[in-house]
Amino acid sequence: DVAVLRAINAVVHALEKTCMLPKPIKDDSAFNDEALEELYRQILTDGSVDQEESKELLTFFQSTPPPVSKLVSTRANAFRIGSEMLTEDKAHNVGILRAINVIVHTLEITLFKPKVYVCKVEPPPTMNVSKIGVNA
């Protein structure tokens, strides 16, 4: 199960690096690693995220954003702490994964923005429906 979380963390990392950019942060001086880890543990302990915990997480990221240099470790810490809470109970572990997903989603929507995508391949000038296999 820990290996699965590591693999998911690697995929999320690749997607963030490829498709997202950090939002500009005005002041990151109030960020506290220990307070965030405590919040992660509080959220992940029962393997679920209620509405109050979700709001608390969002407020934390909005009021005390991590510096850009700590965005990767901030996300990775959710996976690390979650992996510490895995058990033999499959349902519990699925709950932990869902809670990690909420944490990562909140972090991404609060602290990242999508990269602008520019298609570098020109579309064909004409398209023949019969050649692409669509029966209209």
Side-chain angles (χ1 to χ4, degrees), residues 2 5-13 16 31 33 36-37 40-41 44 61 66 69-84 100 103-105 107-108 112:
V2 173
L5 287 184
R6 285 185 181 151
I8 293 169
N9 184 39
V11 169
V12 171
H13 178 73
E16 285 176 358
F31 181 70
D33 284 315
L36 182 60
E37 284 193 24
Y40 282 174
R41 288 184 192 288
L44 293 168
F61 285 137
S69 64
K70 291 190 174 188
L71 288 175
V72 172
S73 63
T74 298
R75 184 220 340 109
N77 281 339
F79 284 93
R80 179 183 55 80
I81 293 168
S83 69
E84 294 170 3
I100 292 170
I103 291 170
V104 171
H105 176 72
L107 179 126
E108 289 175 346
F112 286 90

Side-chain angles (χ1 to χ4, degrees), residues 30-129:
F31 181 70
N32 182 333
D33 284 315
E34 292 81 21
L36 182 60
E37 284 193 24
E38 180 64 31
L39 180 57
Y40 282 174
R41 288 184 192 288
Q42 175 188 333
I43 291 170
L44 293 168
T45 297
D46 63 354
S48 66
V49 181
D50 60 31
Q51 194 170 21
E52 182 179 312
E53 290 171 329
S54 183
K55 286 180 183 178
E56 187 177 356
L57 184 63
L58 181 62
T59 300
F60 185 93
F61 285 137
Q62 289 172 337
S63 62
T64 57
V68 172
S69 64
K70 291 190 174 188
L71 288 175
V72 172
S73 63
T74 298
R75 184 220 340 109
N77 281 339
F79 284 93
R80 179 183 55 80
I81 293 168
S83 69
E84 294 170 3
M85 298 186 176
L86 295 175
T87 66
E88 296 297 318
D89 181 10
K90 183 178 178 180
H92 173 79
N93 293 348
V94 169
I96 293 291
L97 180 58
R98 287 181 176 154
I100 292 170
N101 185 54
V102 170
I103 291 170
V104 171
H105 176 72
T106 303
L107 179 126
E108 289 175 346
I109 63 169
T110 309
L111 303 172
F112 286 90
K113 62 183 178 180
K115 282 185 180 177
V116 175
Y117 176 76
V118 177
C119 182
K120 296 179 182 176
V121 178
E122 289 293 321
T126 61
M127 189 172 291
N128 187 329
V129 173

